[in-house]
Amino acid sequence: MTNIRLIATDMDGTLLNSERKISKANAEAIRYAESKGITVAVATGRDYTEAIAPLKEAGLRLPLICVNGAEMRSRDGQILSQAPLDKTLYNQMSAILREENVYYEMYTTKGSFTENQQKGIDIVVNIMMSTGEFATYDEVMKVAEARFKEGAVSVTDDYQSVLTNDVKIYKLLAFSEDDGSRERAKQRLLDLSEVSVSASASENLEITHLQATKGKALEKLAKDLDVSIRETMALGDNLNDVSMLSIAGVSVAMKNGEDEVKKISDRVTASNVEDGVAKAIYDLIDQ
């Protein structure tokens, strides 16, 4: 029996298959881990609304590290911690992204917003094409458009109209196919204090507060559960997973993951469309 007491898994490209759903095999493996007294948590770049949907569909209730660690919730949905962006800092970040012609979405305590729905669809298509396997482009578009139809992201004419006094900003999800513009924006953002920049796909930037990373959130969750960080396992596929993979007792990369992620991980499991999370859980528990 393993000494791992806490497992944290990424969602897109990891726990979710090409249809952005949790497979039956993955759900059963999570329940198996729980039956052995292991806490299983999700660590995702998604906000709570978008993260909870596939969990509910699979009949799972898990602790959630949302928006790359900017928010942490209990299995019952209670907010346990927040690491929002200062609005003055947001204004600086927004100016940089607009100057570099880099589109972005804004993730807040009020939900996620876009000023351009078509660009928002393009983001999801980009992520899915880089992490999943699809028979046709139409399949990808159907899933991407559902993100807006189901209310995961709302459309606004002006981001500033969303930012009332009670609204906190968790993350900016930026996207550009222009490598030069995206890299210039990234470097300028990193020059600002208190900013963390990672990626969940080849053409995006995930921008949060410096204290909002999956690694820092995993440390906090482990501490809250009285679990040593050495007793944790983390699974992921992309650069926004590096912070938690780097500190976990056991780190597992997906076969479909980025080379950098595989390089820093202890193990490589099967891909997200081959129930890689389930395989990693059973390999760990039954070793």
Side-chain angles (χ1 to χ4, degrees):
M1 177 63 182
T2 178
N3 63 347
I4 295 299
R5 298 171 56 203
L6 170 62
I7 297 173
T9 174
D10 172 50
M11 291 197 98
D12 294 279
T14 302
L15 180 62
L16 306 186
N17 58 23
S18 59
E19 297 178 346
R20 304 184 95 203
K21 298 178 183 293
I22 300 172
S23 69
K24 181 179 179 181
N26 280 348
E28 288 176 349
I30 287 171
R31 293 189 183 96
Y32 179 63
E34 291 179 323
S35 75
K36 299 294 185 179
I38 299 171
T39 299
V40 181
V42 161
T44 178
R46 296 180 175 210
D47 70 358
Y48 179 71
T49 300
E50 198 171 6
I52 200 69
L55 291 174
K56 283 184 176 179
E57 187 175 359
L60 296 170
R61 296 175 67 182
L62 307 176
L64 280 162
I65 293 169
C66 302
V67 279
N68 287 341
E71 180 183 83
M72 192 159 66
R73 297 210 184 206
S74 68
R75 55 181 288 141
D76 297 322
Q78 179 183 354
I79 295 175
L80 302 176
S81 68
Q82 296 173 307
L85 289 160
D86 177 85
K87 291 179 183 177
T88 301
L89 181 61
Y90 158 71
N91 289 332
Q92 294 175 288
M93 294 161 55
S94 176
I96 289 171
L97 293 170
R98 293 184 192 278
E99 287 166 11
E100 298 294 349
N101 197 31
V102 175
Y103 160 84
Y104 72 89
E105 291 179 0
M106 183 169 66
Y107 285 53
T108 76
T109 50
K110 193 178 179 180
S112 303
F113 296 87
T114 180
E115 291 178 336
N116 187 324
Q117 181 171 334
Q118 186 56 52
K119 284 283 190 180
I121 290 173
D122 290 344
I123 279 186
V124 178
V125 169
N126 167 258
I127 293 173
M128 292 175 67
M129 292 298 288
S130 68
T131 61
E133 295 179 4
F134 304 90
T136 67
Y137 182 78
D138 288 342
E139 287 182 36
V140 182
M141 286 300 297
K142 182 179 179 180
V143 176
E145 289 171 349
R147 185 170 178 242
F148 291 90
K149 291 177 182 177
E150 295 167 3
V153 180
S154 301
V155 180
T156 181
D157 292 331
D158 180 7
Y159 287 136
Q160 290 294 337
S161 66
V162 176
L163 299 178
T164 54
N165 290 335
D166 60 332
V167 174
K168 296 177 181 178
I169 307 165
Y170 281 148
K171 182 180 80 168
L172 302 186
L173 176 61
F175 172 81
S176 175
E177 294 178 338
D178 186 323
D179 293 344
S181 294
R182 192 177 63 255
E183 186 60 28
R184 284 194 302 272
K186 178 180 178 180
Q187 293 306 316
R188 291 179 66 186
L189 290 165
L190 288 172
D191 287 339
L192 300 174
S193 61
E194 300 183 339
V195 173
S196 174
V197 182
S198 61
S200 58
S202 60
E203 295 172 346
N204 78 16
L205 300 173
E206 302 225 1
I207 309 154
T208 58
H209 191 280
L210 192 60
Q211 295 301 313
T213 67
K214 292 185 181 183
K216 291 184 183 299
L218 178 58
E219 283 183 311
K220 185 178 189 323
L221 179 59
K223 184 177 180 180
D224 290 350
L225 295 172
D226 195 26
V227 171
S228 164
I229 200 67
R230 295 188 300 275
E231 299 174 310
T232 66
M233 180 171 83
L235 302 97
D237 72 307
N238 222 306
L239 302 183
N240 63 334
D241 301 313
V242 168
S243 62
M244 68 172 180
L245 292 169
S246 298
I247 66 166
V250 177
S251 53
V252 182
M254 307 300 292
K255 186 171 74 174
N256 55 286
E258 294 290 323
D259 288 342
E260 181 178 337
V261 173
K262 294 176 183 176
K263 185 177 180 180
I264 67 163
S265 297
D266 301 316
R267 309 175 184 179
V268 177
T269 187
S271 75
N272 66 308
V273 297
E274 299 170 323
D275 304 319
V277 169
K279 183 179 185 301
I281 289 175
Y282 291 129
D283 285 350
L284 178 83
I285 295 175
D286 295 336
Q287 62 184 2

